[in-house]
Short mmCIF file of all heavy atoms in Angstrom, two decimals:
data_model
loop_
_atom_site.label_atom_id
_atom_site.label_comp_id
_atom_site.label_asym_id
_atom_site.label_seq_id
_atom_site.Cartn_x
_atom_site.Cartn_y
_atom_site.Cartn_z
N THR P 22 -19.34 -63.95 -15.06
CA THR P 22 -18.80 -62.67 -15.51
C THR P 22 -17.50 -62.82 -16.27
O THR P 22 -17.09 -61.89 -16.99
CB THR P 22 -18.56 -61.73 -14.30
OG1 THR P 22 -17.80 -62.45 -13.31
CG2 THR P 22 -19.88 -61.31 -13.68
N GLN P 23 -16.81 -63.97 -16.17
CA GLN P 23 -15.62 -64.19 -16.96
C GLN P 23 -16.01 -64.57 -18.39
O GLN P 23 -17.10 -65.09 -18.63
CB GLN P 23 -14.80 -65.34 -16.36
CG GLN P 23 -14.25 -65.05 -14.98
CD GLN P 23 -13.64 -66.29 -14.35
OE1 GLN P 23 -14.00 -67.43 -14.69
NE2 GLN P 23 -12.76 -66.09 -13.39
N MET P 24 -15.10 -64.37 -19.30
CA MET P 24 -15.37 -64.67 -20.71
C MET P 24 -15.28 -66.18 -20.98
O MET P 24 -15.84 -66.67 -21.97
CB MET P 24 -14.39 -63.94 -21.62
CG MET P 24 -14.49 -62.44 -21.58
SD MET P 24 -13.29 -61.74 -22.74
CE MET P 24 -13.45 -59.99 -22.40
N THR P 25 -14.55 -66.90 -20.17
CA THR P 25 -14.14 -68.30 -20.44
C THR P 25 -15.23 -69.17 -21.05
O THR P 25 -15.15 -69.59 -22.20
CB THR P 25 -13.65 -68.94 -19.13
OG1 THR P 25 -14.52 -68.55 -18.07
CG2 THR P 25 -12.25 -68.49 -18.81
N LEU P 26 -16.27 -69.46 -20.28
CA LEU P 26 -17.28 -70.41 -20.74
C LEU P 26 -18.28 -69.81 -21.69
O LEU P 26 -18.92 -70.53 -22.47
CB LEU P 26 -17.97 -71.07 -19.55
CG LEU P 26 -17.01 -71.96 -18.71
CD1 LEU P 26 -17.71 -72.55 -17.52
CD2 LEU P 26 -16.44 -73.10 -19.59
N ARG P 27 -18.44 -68.48 -21.67
CA ARG P 27 -19.27 -67.84 -22.71
C ARG P 27 -18.58 -67.94 -24.07
O ARG P 27 -19.24 -68.07 -25.10
CB ARG P 27 -19.56 -66.38 -22.34
CG ARG P 27 -20.63 -66.26 -21.26
CD ARG P 27 -20.95 -64.80 -20.91
NE ARG P 27 -19.87 -64.22 -20.12
CZ ARG P 27 -19.23 -63.11 -20.41
NH1 ARG P 27 -19.55 -62.44 -21.51
NH2 ARG P 27 -18.29 -62.64 -19.62
N LEU P 28 -17.26 -67.87 -24.07
CA LEU P 28 -16.52 -68.04 -25.33
C LEU P 28 -16.67 -69.49 -25.83
O LEU P 28 -16.88 -69.71 -27.02
CB LEU P 28 -15.03 -67.70 -25.12
CG LEU P 28 -14.11 -67.96 -26.31
CD1 LEU P 28 -14.56 -67.20 -27.55
CD2 LEU P 28 -12.66 -67.59 -25.95
N LEU P 29 -16.57 -70.44 -24.91
CA LEU P 29 -16.77 -71.83 -25.29
C LEU P 29 -18.19 -72.03 -25.84
O LEU P 29 -18.40 -72.77 -26.81
CB LEU P 29 -16.53 -72.74 -24.08
CG LEU P 29 -16.58 -74.24 -24.31
CD1 LEU P 29 -15.53 -74.66 -25.35
CD2 LEU P 29 -16.37 -75.00 -23.00
N TRP P 30 -19.15 -71.36 -25.22
CA TRP P 30 -20.55 -71.47 -25.66
C TRP P 30 -20.71 -70.99 -27.10
O TRP P 30 -21.37 -71.67 -27.91
CB TRP P 30 -21.45 -70.65 -24.72
CG TRP P 30 -22.91 -70.86 -24.94
CD1 TRP P 30 -23.75 -71.71 -24.29
CD2 TRP P 30 -23.74 -70.18 -25.92
NE1 TRP P 30 -25.03 -71.63 -24.78
CE2 TRP P 30 -25.05 -70.70 -25.79
CE3 TRP P 30 -23.49 -69.21 -26.89
CZ2 TRP P 30 -26.10 -70.25 -26.59
CZ3 TRP P 30 -24.55 -68.77 -27.70
CH2 TRP P 30 -25.83 -69.28 -27.53
N VAL P 31 -20.15 -69.82 -27.45
CA VAL P 31 -20.34 -69.34 -28.81
C VAL P 31 -19.61 -70.20 -29.83
O VAL P 31 -20.10 -70.39 -30.95
CB VAL P 31 -19.88 -67.85 -28.97
CG1 VAL P 31 -20.72 -66.93 -28.08
CG2 VAL P 31 -18.41 -67.66 -28.72
N LEU P 32 -18.48 -70.77 -29.44
CA LEU P 32 -17.78 -71.68 -30.37
C LEU P 32 -18.63 -72.91 -30.66
O LEU P 32 -18.56 -73.48 -31.76
CB LEU P 32 -16.43 -72.09 -29.76
CG LEU P 32 -15.32 -71.03 -29.80
CD1 LEU P 32 -14.18 -71.42 -28.90
CD2 LEU P 32 -14.85 -70.80 -31.22
N GLN P 33 -19.44 -73.32 -29.70
CA GLN P 33 -20.27 -74.49 -29.88
C GLN P 33 -21.62 -74.18 -30.54
O GLN P 33 -22.25 -75.06 -31.14
CB GLN P 33 -20.54 -75.15 -28.53
CG GLN P 33 -19.30 -75.74 -27.86
CD GLN P 33 -19.57 -76.29 -26.48
OE1 GLN P 33 -20.68 -76.16 -25.95
NE2 GLN P 33 -18.57 -76.90 -25.86
N HIS P 34 -22.09 -72.93 -30.47
CA HIS P 34 -23.44 -72.62 -30.90
C HIS P 34 -23.55 -71.64 -32.07
O HIS P 34 -24.61 -71.60 -32.72
CB HIS P 34 -24.24 -72.04 -29.72
CG HIS P 34 -24.54 -73.02 -28.65
ND1 HIS P 34 -23.67 -73.34 -27.64
CD2 HIS P 34 -25.66 -73.79 -28.42
CE1 HIS P 34 -24.19 -74.24 -26.83
NE2 HIS P 34 -25.39 -74.54 -27.27
N VAL P 35 -22.53 -70.86 -32.36
CA VAL P 35 -22.62 -69.90 -33.49
C VAL P 35 -22.22 -70.60 -34.77
O VAL P 35 -21.07 -71.07 -34.91
CB VAL P 35 -21.70 -68.67 -33.23
CG1 VAL P 35 -21.70 -67.76 -34.46
CG2 VAL P 35 -22.18 -67.91 -31.99
N PRO P 36 -23.13 -70.71 -35.74
CA PRO P 36 -22.85 -71.42 -37.00
C PRO P 36 -21.61 -70.84 -37.73
O PRO P 36 -21.50 -69.63 -37.89
CB PRO P 36 -24.12 -71.19 -37.83
CG PRO P 36 -25.19 -70.92 -36.81
CD PRO P 36 -24.52 -70.18 -35.68
N GLY P 37 -20.71 -71.71 -38.11
CA GLY P 37 -19.56 -71.33 -38.93
C GLY P 37 -18.39 -70.79 -38.12
O GLY P 37 -17.28 -70.63 -38.69
N LEU P 38 -18.56 -70.50 -36.81
CA LEU P 38 -17.47 -69.89 -36.04
C LEU P 38 -16.33 -70.87 -35.81
O LEU P 38 -15.15 -70.51 -35.98
CB LEU P 38 -18.00 -69.35 -34.72
CG LEU P 38 -16.96 -68.70 -33.80
CD1 LEU P 38 -16.21 -67.59 -34.52
CD2 LEU P 38 -17.59 -68.20 -32.52
N GLN P 39 -16.64 -72.09 -35.41
CA GLN P 39 -15.58 -73.06 -35.16
C GLN P 39 -14.77 -73.34 -36.42
O GLN P 39 -13.55 -73.42 -36.39
CB GLN P 39 -16.20 -74.38 -34.64
CG GLN P 39 -15.16 -75.42 -34.21
CD GLN P 39 -14.38 -75.02 -32.99
OE1 GLN P 39 -14.95 -74.83 -31.92
NE2 GLN P 39 -13.07 -74.88 -33.12
N GLU P 40 -15.46 -73.43 -37.56
CA GLU P 40 -14.78 -73.67 -38.82
C GLU P 40 -13.87 -72.48 -39.18
O GLU P 40 -12.74 -72.65 -39.66
CB GLU P 40 -15.80 -73.88 -39.93
CG GLU P 40 -15.19 -74.17 -41.29
CD GLU P 40 -16.23 -74.34 -42.38
OE1 GLU P 40 -17.44 -74.33 -42.06
OE2 GLU P 40 -15.85 -74.46 -43.56
N ALA P 41 -14.38 -71.25 -38.92
CA ALA P 41 -13.58 -70.06 -39.21
C ALA P 41 -12.33 -69.98 -38.35
O ALA P 41 -11.26 -69.56 -38.82
CB ALA P 41 -14.44 -68.82 -38.99
N THR P 42 -12.44 -70.44 -37.08
CA THR P 42 -11.24 -70.44 -36.24
C THR P 42 -10.26 -71.49 -36.72
O THR P 42 -9.03 -71.28 -36.69
CB THR P 42 -11.60 -70.71 -34.75
OG1 THR P 42 -12.22 -72.00 -34.64
CG2 THR P 42 -12.54 -69.65 -34.21
N ASN P 43 -10.77 -72.63 -37.19
CA ASN P 43 -9.88 -73.68 -37.71
C ASN P 43 -9.13 -73.21 -38.93
O ASN P 43 -7.98 -73.60 -39.17
CB ASN P 43 -10.70 -74.94 -38.06
CG ASN P 43 -11.34 -75.58 -36.83
OD1 ASN P 43 -10.89 -75.36 -35.71
ND2 ASN P 43 -12.35 -76.39 -37.05
N ASN P 44 -9.77 -72.34 -39.73
CA ASN P 44 -9.15 -71.81 -40.95
C ASN P 44 -8.29 -70.57 -40.69
O ASN P 44 -7.69 -70.01 -41.62
CB ASN P 44 -10.22 -71.45 -41.98
CG ASN P 44 -10.98 -72.68 -42.45
OD1 ASN P 44 -10.45 -73.79 -42.43
ND2 ASN P 44 -12.23 -72.48 -42.88
N GLY P 45 -8.27 -70.12 -39.41
CA GLY P 45 -7.45 -68.95 -39.08
C GLY P 45 -8.08 -67.63 -39.45
O GLY P 45 -7.41 -66.60 -39.50
N ASN P 46 -9.40 -67.62 -39.72
CA ASN P 46 -10.07 -66.39 -40.15
C ASN P 46 -10.70 -65.60 -38.99
O ASN P 46 -10.92 -64.40 -39.10
CB ASN P 46 -11.14 -66.70 -41.18
CG ASN P 46 -10.56 -67.22 -42.47
OD1 ASN P 46 -9.46 -66.83 -42.86
ND2 ASN P 46 -11.29 -68.10 -43.14
N ALA P 47 -11.06 -66.32 -37.90
CA ALA P 47 -11.78 -65.67 -36.81
C ALA P 47 -10.84 -65.30 -35.67
O ALA P 47 -9.88 -66.04 -35.38
CB ALA P 47 -12.88 -66.60 -36.31
N VAL P 48 -11.09 -64.15 -35.07
CA VAL P 48 -10.33 -63.74 -33.90
C VAL P 48 -11.31 -63.34 -32.80
O VAL P 48 -12.49 -63.09 -33.04
CB VAL P 48 -9.38 -62.55 -34.20
CG1 VAL P 48 -8.26 -62.99 -35.12
CG2 VAL P 48 -10.14 -61.37 -34.80
N PHE P 49 -10.77 -63.26 -31.59
CA PHE P 49 -11.56 -62.98 -30.39
C PHE P 49 -11.03 -61.74 -29.72
O PHE P 49 -9.83 -61.46 -29.74
CB PHE P 49 -11.48 -64.22 -29.48
CG PHE P 49 -11.56 -63.93 -28.01
CD1 PHE P 49 -12.78 -63.83 -27.35
CD2 PHE P 49 -10.39 -63.75 -27.26
CE1 PHE P 49 -12.84 -63.58 -25.99
CE2 PHE P 49 -10.44 -63.51 -25.90
CZ PHE P 49 -11.68 -63.42 -25.27
N GLY P 50 -11.93 -60.98 -29.05
CA GLY P 50 -11.45 -59.86 -28.27
C GLY P 50 -12.57 -59.21 -27.47
O GLY P 50 -13.75 -59.31 -27.80
N GLY P 51 -12.17 -58.50 -26.42
CA GLY P 51 -13.10 -57.71 -25.64
C GLY P 51 -13.44 -56.40 -26.38
O GLY P 51 -13.00 -56.18 -27.50
N VAL P 52 -14.19 -55.55 -25.72
CA VAL P 52 -14.61 -54.28 -26.32
C VAL P 52 -13.36 -53.48 -26.72
O VAL P 52 -13.32 -52.85 -27.76
CB VAL P 52 -15.50 -53.50 -25.37
CG1 VAL P 52 -15.78 -52.09 -25.91
CG2 VAL P 52 -16.82 -54.23 -25.14
N ASP P 53 -12.34 -53.47 -25.85
CA ASP P 53 -11.11 -52.71 -26.13
C ASP P 53 -10.43 -53.21 -27.38
O ASP P 53 -10.03 -52.43 -28.27
CB ASP P 53 -10.18 -52.80 -24.94
CG ASP P 53 -9.57 -54.19 -24.77
OD1 ASP P 53 -10.36 -55.15 -24.62
OD2 ASP P 53 -8.33 -54.35 -24.79
N CYS P 54 -10.29 -54.54 -27.46
CA CYS P 54 -9.58 -55.17 -28.58
C CYS P 54 -10.32 -54.91 -29.90
O CYS P 54 -9.69 -54.54 -30.91
CB CYS P 54 -9.48 -56.66 -28.29
SG CYS P 54 -8.62 -57.61 -29.56
N TRP P 55 -11.64 -55.09 -29.88
CA TRP P 55 -12.43 -54.87 -31.10
C TRP P 55 -12.38 -53.39 -31.50
O TRP P 55 -12.25 -53.09 -32.69
CB TRP P 55 -13.88 -55.30 -30.81
CG TRP P 55 -14.91 -54.83 -31.80
CD1 TRP P 55 -15.24 -55.42 -32.98
CD2 TRP P 55 -15.72 -53.67 -31.70
NE1 TRP P 55 -16.22 -54.71 -33.61
CE2 TRP P 55 -16.53 -53.61 -32.84
CE3 TRP P 55 -15.84 -52.65 -30.73
CZ2 TRP P 55 -17.45 -52.59 -33.05
CZ3 TRP P 55 -16.75 -51.65 -30.95
CH2 TRP P 55 -17.55 -51.61 -32.10
N LEU P 56 -12.43 -52.49 -30.52
CA LEU P 56 -12.41 -51.06 -30.84
C LEU P 56 -11.06 -50.63 -31.42
O LEU P 56 -10.99 -49.84 -32.37
CB LEU P 56 -12.71 -50.24 -29.57
CG LEU P 56 -12.72 -48.71 -29.71
CD1 LEU P 56 -13.71 -48.27 -30.79
CD2 LEU P 56 -13.09 -48.07 -28.37
N LEU P 57 -9.96 -51.17 -30.87
CA LEU P 57 -8.64 -50.86 -31.42
C LEU P 57 -8.53 -51.39 -32.86
O LEU P 57 -7.91 -50.74 -33.71
CB LEU P 57 -7.55 -51.47 -30.53
CG LEU P 57 -7.34 -50.79 -29.18
CD1 LEU P 57 -6.44 -51.63 -28.28
CD2 LEU P 57 -6.76 -49.38 -29.35
N TYR P 58 -9.13 -52.53 -33.11
CA TYR P 58 -9.15 -53.04 -34.49
C TYR P 58 -9.93 -52.10 -35.42
O TYR P 58 -9.47 -51.79 -36.54
CB TYR P 58 -9.76 -54.44 -34.53
CG TYR P 58 -10.02 -54.95 -35.94
CD1 TYR P 58 -8.98 -55.48 -36.68
CD2 TYR P 58 -11.27 -54.86 -36.51
CE1 TYR P 58 -9.19 -55.93 -37.99
CE2 TYR P 58 -11.50 -55.30 -37.81
CZ TYR P 58 -10.46 -55.83 -38.55
OH TYR P 58 -10.68 -56.25 -39.83
N LYS P 59 -11.08 -51.61 -34.96
CA LYS P 59 -11.90 -50.73 -35.78
C LYS P 59 -11.19 -49.39 -36.04
O LYS P 59 -11.35 -48.79 -37.11
CB LYS P 59 -13.24 -50.46 -35.09
CG LYS P 59 -14.14 -51.68 -34.95
CD LYS P 59 -14.72 -52.13 -36.27
CE LYS P 59 -15.83 -51.21 -36.74
NZ LYS P 59 -16.51 -51.74 -37.97
N LEU P 60 -10.41 -48.94 -35.06
CA LEU P 60 -9.74 -47.64 -35.19
C LEU P 60 -8.41 -47.74 -35.93
O LEU P 60 -8.03 -46.77 -36.61
CB LEU P 60 -9.49 -47.05 -33.79
CG LEU P 60 -10.73 -46.57 -33.01
CD1 LEU P 60 -10.35 -46.25 -31.56
CD2 LEU P 60 -11.34 -45.34 -33.67
N THR P 61 -7.71 -48.85 -35.79
CA THR P 61 -6.35 -48.93 -36.32
C THR P 61 -6.08 -50.13 -37.19
O THR P 61 -5.06 -50.18 -37.90
CB THR P 61 -5.34 -48.98 -35.17
OG1 THR P 61 -5.42 -50.24 -34.49
CG2 THR P 61 -5.56 -47.86 -34.16
N GLY P 62 -6.94 -51.16 -37.15
CA GLY P 62 -6.69 -52.38 -37.92
C GLY P 62 -5.85 -53.41 -37.20
O GLY P 62 -5.59 -54.49 -37.73
N LYS P 63 -5.42 -53.12 -35.95
CA LYS P 63 -4.58 -54.04 -35.20
C LYS P 63 -5.41 -54.94 -34.29
O LYS P 63 -6.44 -54.51 -33.78
CB LYS P 63 -3.57 -53.25 -34.35
CG LYS P 63 -2.54 -52.46 -35.14
CD LYS P 63 -1.52 -51.80 -34.20
CE LYS P 63 -0.45 -51.07 -34.99
NZ LYS P 63 0.58 -50.48 -34.07
N HIS P 64 -4.92 -56.17 -34.10
CA HIS P 64 -5.58 -57.11 -33.19
C HIS P 64 -4.73 -57.20 -31.93
O HIS P 64 -3.91 -58.10 -31.76
CB HIS P 64 -5.73 -58.49 -33.86
CG HIS P 64 -6.47 -59.48 -33.01
ND1 HIS P 64 -6.08 -60.79 -32.90
CD2 HIS P 64 -7.57 -59.35 -32.23
CE1 HIS P 64 -6.91 -61.44 -32.08
NE2 HIS P 64 -7.84 -60.58 -31.66
N VAL P 65 -4.96 -56.26 -31.00
CA VAL P 65 -4.16 -56.14 -29.80
C VAL P 65 -5.05 -55.82 -28.59
O VAL P 65 -6.18 -55.35 -28.74
CB VAL P 65 -3.08 -55.04 -29.93
CG1 VAL P 65 -2.07 -55.40 -31.03
CG2 VAL P 65 -3.71 -53.69 -30.22
N THR P 66 -4.53 -56.08 -27.42
CA THR P 66 -5.17 -55.68 -26.16
C THR P 66 -4.08 -55.27 -25.19
O THR P 66 -2.89 -55.46 -25.46
CB THR P 66 -6.02 -56.84 -25.60
OG1 THR P 66 -6.79 -56.37 -24.47
CG2 THR P 66 -5.13 -58.00 -25.13
N ASP P 67 -4.48 -54.71 -24.04
CA ASP P 67 -3.45 -54.37 -23.04
C ASP P 67 -3.55 -55.36 -21.89
O ASP P 67 -4.52 -56.12 -21.75
CB ASP P 67 -3.62 -52.92 -22.56
CG ASP P 67 -4.38 -52.82 -21.26
OD1 ASP P 67 -5.59 -53.11 -21.28
OD2 ASP P 67 -3.78 -52.47 -20.23
#
């Protein structure tokens, strides 16, 4: 139920994601974080 190893899993299995993180283009977040980005453009969580 924790994000920890599922996040590691996607970094290992989603094509292009690891490279995007290395280039500083990819960010991570829960539903709250993603929704705040969609509503305001900010990458924040509480």
Side-chain angles (χ1 to χ4, degrees):
T22 51
Q23 296 171 336
M24 296 181 186
T25 43
L26 293 178
R27 283 181 286 126
L28 175 58
L29 185 60
W30 189 95
V31 298
L32 285 167
Q33 293 176 356
H34 291 84
V35 174
L38 179 56
Q39 186 68 61
E40 182 182 354
T42 61
N43 295 340
N44 295 334
N46 293 328
V48 292
F49 148 87
V52 173
D53 69 303
C54 180
W55 166 84
L56 181 55
L57 289 168
Y58 171 80
K59 295 288 285 186
L60 290 169
T61 70
K63 294 184 177 182
H64 183 221
V65 296
T66 188
D67 98 291

